Amino acid sequence: MKRKIALLLTFLCLFAVLMPACQSAVQNSSTVTDQEKVTAEQMEEKFGVPVVRVVTDLPNYDAGWKDGQLSDTLSRLPGYNKEFMLLVETLPREGEERSIDITRIKTEMMAGKGPDLFLCGQDTYGICGALYGTSGYTDPFFTFPERAMENRLFLPLDEYIEKAEYMEWDKFLPVIMEAGRNKEGQQIIPISYTFSALYADKEKYGLEDFDRSMTLSEMQRSENPALRYASYNIAPFMVGRITEPGEDEPMFTEEELLGYIRDYSMRVPGDPRDYQDLEEEEKVYNGAIMRVFLPEPGLISPISDKFVLGKGSPAYRIIPAKNARGGVTAVINEFAAVNRNARYPDLAFKIIDYLMSTKVQQDSSFYHSRVLLGMPVHMDLGSEEYPLRDKNWYMSAGNFEEFCAARAEITEAKFIGPADKALWDIEIFDQKGLEKSVHEQYTLIEMLLAES
């Protein structure tokens, strides 16, 4: 096997998002899709059981729509298809139909009604490699989930979590779960997350004695090309959180943003010839340095075919890409939340509880063939003790230990939104062109936050 380096936007495809099957008849499943043009009330009148209304806005639309993974996953949940049923509304990927549906559902919520449960993916822009619409530029259903919490759209779930029957809350990564909390308590349940990191063969790149206390500027000045390479980060991860929780103004000035982009995102420091062999070896797509972290090759992108972090992989050093403040930023890929106006909050949480159980995360095809984008919030998954996909995939003990050490460096988590898309759209030309682009996008960020 070639010795290799890989970095940035690593996605451990261990977790799944949730999308309904398109069933043509209720007799075969308790899940009915919005394509059948029925209401929850009509279903309840016909079948005599509660009907939980679920809205999904998730990646990999075609796969989830066709193969019934949500129904299959819930098939072992006590009461499903007997004591309650689902009405699942899957948002269109893009265009006017999507806008109409989002407006309709949000209008219902403003009137004190709406769905019971939301299962949402956040990166509808494709920054982390998600598959939504063909354009990749659709805003998510909740453009600012943290603002939605402040506006009391979601039900606080602390009391439900304390009585949870299936999930193991103490096994979930705290810094990620904290992103779904505010002063009222836990309102959003993160499902998976992503952080940027460099994966490098320890022996090849002399990283056996790498010191994790190394700063961003120290990596930039290092004589080791792999460490200089690791100092690069794309803008949404490099800038990190855009606002303080509950605030509506950027945490940084326009001048600071210009400095961030110029110093940390404009180029990989050092002589480009230092990286020529690395980039050719890793087949960097269009010269970018984005990598997709998969438990088996070829699931999303051909550039990942030679980079696998499974049980047979070489010993890697995993170095998170730091943000401009010296920490490490993770982003929430998918999450679940219960409408504060839900008709059936207990049943809505019961579905979340079951979907977040360790066993379902390990074995359900719903997770492992749907969300191939983020790492699970359960901290033990991917180890030999907690393998995935019918016990067919896990990391070696050394690589899992290395992954845990890298994961421990995460200092903050955020939900991607239109302000991150504005960062993503900064165009890097010469100095004058960069200043113009930063000014335009910073002005847009201020406007988006003010309107949130």
Side-chain angles (χ1 to χ4, degrees), residues 26 29-32 39-53 79-87 116 343-344 347:
V26 178
S29 172
S30 64
T31 301
V32 178
T39 67
E41 290 78 7
Q42 288 171 332
M43 288 178 60
E44 289 177 344
E45 183 177 352
K46 182 175 182 179
F47 297 102
V49 296
V51 174
V52 179
R53 186 177 165 200
Y80 177 73
N81 204 22
K82 296 178 181 179
E83 299 172 7
F84 70 94
M85 303 169 71
L86 302 186
L87 173 63
D116 297 288
R343 292 195 303 152
Y344 302 112
L347 289 173

Side-chain angles (χ1 to χ4, degrees), residues 18 22 51 95 121 138-139 172 196 246 256 265 285 314 322 337 339 357 360 378 380 391 424 434 438:
L18 321 157
C22 181
V51 174
T138 300
D139 282 338
F172 299 162
S196 301
E256 287 172 328
S265 187
Y285 181 65
K322 297 183 184 296
N339 184 359
S357 67
V360 170
H378 192 298
D380 295 332
K391 301 183 180 180
W424 179 252
L434 176 62
V438 167

Side-chain angles (χ1 to χ4, degrees), residues 374-419:
M375 291 165 281
V377 296
H378 192 298
M379 293 183 288
D380 295 332
L381 296 190
S383 65
E384 186 172 2
E385 183 179 0
Y386 290 89
L388 304 170
R389 299 187 177 192
D390 298 321
K391 301 183 180 180
N392 288 324
W393 188 90
Y394 56 88
M395 302 181 213
S396 66
N399 279 341
F400 186 74
E401 180 179 353
E402 182 68 16
F403 167 67
C404 291
R407 182 179 63 190
E409 295 190 51
I410 297 173
T411 54
E412 63 181 22
K414 68 174 181 176
F415 299 91
I416 283 183

Side-chain angles (χ1 to χ4, degrees), residues 243-298:
T243 65
E244 294 284 3
E247 299 297 325
D248 57 5
E249 295 181 357
M251 295 170 58
F252 44 85
T253 65
E254 181 179 329
E255 291 72 24
E256 287 172 328
L257 177 59
L258 176 62
Y260 296 161
I261 301 298
R262 183 183 58 239
D263 296 341
Y264 303 128
S265 187
M266 191 169 182
R267 62 183 175 85
V268 178
D271 189 332
R273 290 174 295 182
D274 290 344
Y275 315 108
Q276 183 174 353
D277 291 342
L278 307 181
E279 293 184 350
E280 288 179 356
E281 187 173 314
E282 282 306 304
K283 297 184 177 180
V284 176
Y285 181 65
N286 286 340
I289 48 177
M290 184 177 79
R291 293 293 184 276
V292 180
F293 176 19
L294 302 170
E296 61 185 57

Side-chain angles (χ1 to χ4, degrees), residues 280-401:
E280 288 179 356
E281 187 173 314
E282 282 306 304
K283 297 184 177 180
V284 176
Y285 181 65
N286 286 340
I289 48 177
M290 184 177 79
R291 293 293 184 276
V292 180
F293 176 19
L294 302 170
E296 61 185 57
L299 291 179
I300 290 183
S301 170
I303 67 171
S304 67
D305 283 355
K306 289 192 174 184
F307 178 58
V308 181
L309 191 62
K311 54 190 174 184
S313 299
Y316 286 111
R317 178 68 69 198
I318 304 178
I319 306 173
K322 297 183 184 296
N323 60 39
R325 296 185 295 277
V328 173
T329 300
V331 300
I332 310 300
N333 290 97
E334 294 86 26
F335 67 86
V338 177
N339 184 359
R340 194 176 287 250
N341 300 316
R343 292 195 303 152
Y344 302 112
D346 293 358
L347 289 173
F349 181 80
K350 184 175 183 178
I351 293 168
I352 297 175
D353 186 14
Y354 186 73
L355 292 174
M356 296 295 288
S357 67
T358 304
K359 184 66 173 175
V360 170
Q361 292 183 44
Q362 278 185 276
D363 298 336
S364 172
S365 63
F366 182 79
Y367 289 91
H368 307 312
S369 60
R370 287 281 301 108
V371 174
L372 312 171
L373 297 174
M375 291 165 281
V377 296
H378 192 298
M379 293 183 288
D380 295 332
L381 296 190
S383 65
E384 186 172 2
E385 183 179 0
Y386 290 89
L388 304 170
R389 299 187 177 192
D390 298 321
K391 301 183 180 180
N392 288 324
W393 188 90
Y394 56 88
M395 302 181 213
S396 66
N399 279 341
F400 186 74
E401 180 179 353

Side-chain angles (χ1 to χ4, degrees), residues 150-177:
E150 295 296 324
N151 291 338
R152 297 171 59 83
L153 297 183
F154 303 135
L155 183 69
L157 299 174
D158 288 5
E159 292 185 5
Y160 291 90
I161 293 169
E162 289 177 4
K163 301 174 183 177
E165 184 177 357
Y166 302 103
M167 68 170 64
E168 298 178 88
W169 188 263
D170 61 342
K171 296 283 189 178
F172 299 162
L173 187 59
V175 68
I176 301 301
M177 308 315 289

